[in-house]
């Protein structure tokens, strides 16, 4: 190993280990490295850690200005993905949630889904001077998510709806020739070099009428914060599609129908109240009462399944929804983080009813919805399979 490579290795280990006397590197920091070390020590270090570079902060202090300066520092030193992790650790380790009620603090943070969840949980305690800043932070995240997810969601679901509307005896200008050829390849005549189209496949006639109804029933308990954010975005995207009638219902021990707010997912999010108990049975009872066309309806329950209501009634209600002809999808989470802690007994009971529960990433959600609309097997991720899997 060259001298430069060895020095770089010691530098990296020194930054990782934090400079305690027992770290064994013997490496001193200066300049930018010392500033990075101070920023990390403020969060991960100890009050009694001796100084080996500049004076160590040993904490972020209690004021929003000092935290805002620190947030500015870490945004200077680290890429966005690292900044978001460090911010999350700061909120958890140092109890900085209340400082997010300060406008100066909010303007300094790197906004992401987790920060939105924290802000929503603090919404009731938020002073009026901070509320508009918080809305702008939330709006930025929501708009970024919509840009990422909307196009693919609309394309995937439009395809599923069109396939469901295809006709067997189309007029000439409605024939889907690519699918017609594929469906008749067994009738290929090699001597004539042609396919005999014994069965014509047509595009569904364009229609302004609603083809499917989607009910998103979302648990707003504190552990489901990221799922609530993504569900509000997908709800707004689905509501923008003429062929889909979308209803968004959020619940804890009470049930709130936020369908009228779906034109603005930020309004949806600020109408939620993260935390509290859970009554899935009550929420499903409300959703069930709003189903008018069961054969054309998809109900999506997004919950960790910790039921505080009547378990047996909840299961009976799921069975009744499915028996009516509606599709029922159970998602333990709608986020990039995998399945949270969830009630495995309830998950197993739902699987026995033909409604397997699984965590779903936002990128997979359009495929899950397309499969439900077409009444195909759901694309359940293999990563969840195993002895403890709910499906």
């Amino acid at each position: 190993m060259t001298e430069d490579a060895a020095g770089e290795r010691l530098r990296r280990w020194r930054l990782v280990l934090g400079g305690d006397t027992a770290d064994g590197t013997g490496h001193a920091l200066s300049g930018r490295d010392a500033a990075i070390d101070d920023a990390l020590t403020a969060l991960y270090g100890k009050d009694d850690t001796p100084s080996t570079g500049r004076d160590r902060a040993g904490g972020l202090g209690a004021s929003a200005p000092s935290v805002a300066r620190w947030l500015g520092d870490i945004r200077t030193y680290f890429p966005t993905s690292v900044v978001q992790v460090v911010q999350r650790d700061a909120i958890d380790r140092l109890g900085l949630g209340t400082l997010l009620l300060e406008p100066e603090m909010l303007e300094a943070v790197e906004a992401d889904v987790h920060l939105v969840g924290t802000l929503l949980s603090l919404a009731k305690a938020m002073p009026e001077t901070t509320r508009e800043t918080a809305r702008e932070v939330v709006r930025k995240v929501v708009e970024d998510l919509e840009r990422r997810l909307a196009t693919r969601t609309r394309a995937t679901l439009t395809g599923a709806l069109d396939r469901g509307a295809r006709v067997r005896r189309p007029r000439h200008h409605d024939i889907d020739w690519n699918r017609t050829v594929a469906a008749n390849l067994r009738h290929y005549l090699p001597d004539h070099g042609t396919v005999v189209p014994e069965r014509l496949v047509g595009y569904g006639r364009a229609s302004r009428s609603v083809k499917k109804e989607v009910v998103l029933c979302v648990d707003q308990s504190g552990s489901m914060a990221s799922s609530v954010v993504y569900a509000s975005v997908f709800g707004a995207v689905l509501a923008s599609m003429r062929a889909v009638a979308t209803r968004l219902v959020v619940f804890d021990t009470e049930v709130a129908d936020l369908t009228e707010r779906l034109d603005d997912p930020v309004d949806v999010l600020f109408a939620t109240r993260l935390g509290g108990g859970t009554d899935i049975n009550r929420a499903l009872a409300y959703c069930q009462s709003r189903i008018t066309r069961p054969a054309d309806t998809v109900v999506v329950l997004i919950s960790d399944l910790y039921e505080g209501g009547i378990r047996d009634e909840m299961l009976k209600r799921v069975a009744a929804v499915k028996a009516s002809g509606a599709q029922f999808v159970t998602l333990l989470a709608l986020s990039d983080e995998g399945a949270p802690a969830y009630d495995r007994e309830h998950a197993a009971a739902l699987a026995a009813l033909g409604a397997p529960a699984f965590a779903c990433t936002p990128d997979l959600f359009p495929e899950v919805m397309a499969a439900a609309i077409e009444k195909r097997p759901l694309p359940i991720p293999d990563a969840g399979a195993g002895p403890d899997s709910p499906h």
Side-chain angles (χ1 to χ4, degrees):
M1 182 181 296
T2 66
E3 185 175 343
D4 287 345
E8 175 63 13
R9 185 176 182 183
L10 281 174
R11 168 186 168 273
R12 289 174 175 271
W13 273 113
R14 165 60 185 79
L15 287 169
V16 169
L17 295 172
D20 287 343
T21 54
D23 73 10
T25 65
H27 188 83
L29 300 175
S30 61
R32 180 183 175 87
D33 285 347
I36 293 173
D37 187 51
D38 281 351
L40 292 174
T41 299
L43 176 58
Y44 300 110
K46 300 177 181 178
D47 291 338
D48 58 354
T49 303
S51 176
T52 57
R54 301 185 305 180
D55 291 340
R56 293 180 174 275
L60 297 179
S63 69
S66 67
V67 176
R69 286 192 295 273
W70 176 79
L71 287 168
D73 287 345
I74 64 171
R75 291 172 71 177
T76 299
Y77 303 140
F78 304 111
T80 297
S81 58
V82 176
V83 170
Q84 292 173 348
V85 172
V86 173
Q87 284 180 174
R88 210 173 309 155
D89 285 349
I91 293 169
D92 292 341
R93 291 167 62 96
L94 302 179
L96 299 185
T98 55
L99 286 182
L100 290 176
L101 304 181
E102 299 286 343
E104 184 178 13
M105 173 79 162
L106 282 177
E107 290 168 359
V109 295
E110 188 72 41
D112 66 353
V113 170
H114 300 282
L115 178 63
V116 169
T118 301
L119 289 177
L120 296 179
S121 69
L122 297 169
K124 287 186 177 179
M126 195 173 290
E128 199 59 38
T129 54
T130 305
R131 190 171 296 276
E132 193 54 40
T133 305
R135 287 184 70 89
E136 289 307 310
V137 171
V138 172
R139 188 170 299 282
K140 178 180 182 298
V141 173
V142 166
E143 288 176 351
D144 286 346
L145 291 177
E146 283 188 300
R147 280 191 291 270
R148 168 188 157 192
L149 301 169
T151 300
R152 181 162 173 262
T153 300
R154 292 192 185 100
T156 301
L157 297 191
T158 298
L161 293 165
D162 285 348
R163 286 189 292 273
R166 293 186 188 282
V167 294
R168 293 299 182 91
R169 302 177 69 179
R171 299 175 183 179
H172 179 77
H173 60 276
D174 287 332
I175 297 174
D176 182 341
W177 286 109
N178 288 333
R179 290 181 176 274
T180 295
V181 170
N184 290 277
L185 287 176
R186 65 181 179 278
H187 304 306
Y188 177 68
L189 302 178
D191 292 342
H192 296 81
T194 189
V195 171
V196 177
E198 290 190 0
R199 181 170 70 87
L200 299 178
V201 180
Y203 295 107
R205 306 269 313 162
S207 173
R208 293 178 179 268
S209 64
V210 171
K211 298 175 182 176
K212 291 289 180 180
E213 298 182 4
V214 174
V215 181
L216 299 176
C217 185
V218 187
D219 185 342
Q220 61 177 349
S221 58
S223 61
M224 303 298 293
S226 295
S227 297
V228 172
V229 175
Y230 281 113
S232 72
V233 172
F234 278 118
V237 172
L238 293 174
S240 71
M241 300 177 64
R242 283 182 177 174
V244 180
T246 305
R247 184 177 295 276
L248 177 62
V249 176
V250 299
F251 67 93
D252 41 34
T253 54
E254 302 293 329
V255 178
D257 191 329
L258 303 182
T259 303
E260 296 301 318
R261 298 174 182 257
L262 276 175
D263 60 326
D264 187 348
V266 176
D267 277 349
V268 169
L269 290 172
F270 275 93
T272 62
R273 51 180 192 184
L274 293 175
T278 307
D279 192 337
I280 302 172
N281 178 57
R282 186 172 186 175
L284 290 180
Y286 177 85
C287 294
Q288 187 180 20
S289 71
R290 296 302 186 270
I291 296 174
T292 58
R293 301 163 53 202
D296 296 318
T297 298
V298 178
V299 178
V300 183
L301 171 64
I302 304 174
S303 173
D304 55 15
L305 302 180
Y306 285 112
E307 172 64 317
I310 306 172
R311 174 187 183 273
D312 290 343
E313 288 298 315
M314 175 191 77
L315 296 175
K316 287 179 182 178
R317 210 169 290 283
V318 173
V321 169
K322 288 181 61 63
S324 72
Q327 298 296 102
F328 195 95
V329 179
T330 310
L331 301 181
L332 299 169
L334 178 56
S335 71
D336 288 308
E337 301 169 327
Y342 62 92
D343 190 305
R344 294 177 181 273
E345 183 179 348
H346 288 165
L350 287 172
L353 294 174
F358 59 98
C360 177
T361 65
D363 289 334
L364 180 63
F365 185 72
E367 300 296 336
V368 170
M369 290 304 301
I373 285 171
E374 296 184 83
K375 301 184 178 180
R376 296 186 281 108
L378 300 179
I380 299 174
D382 292 336
D388 295 324
S389 173
H391 54 270

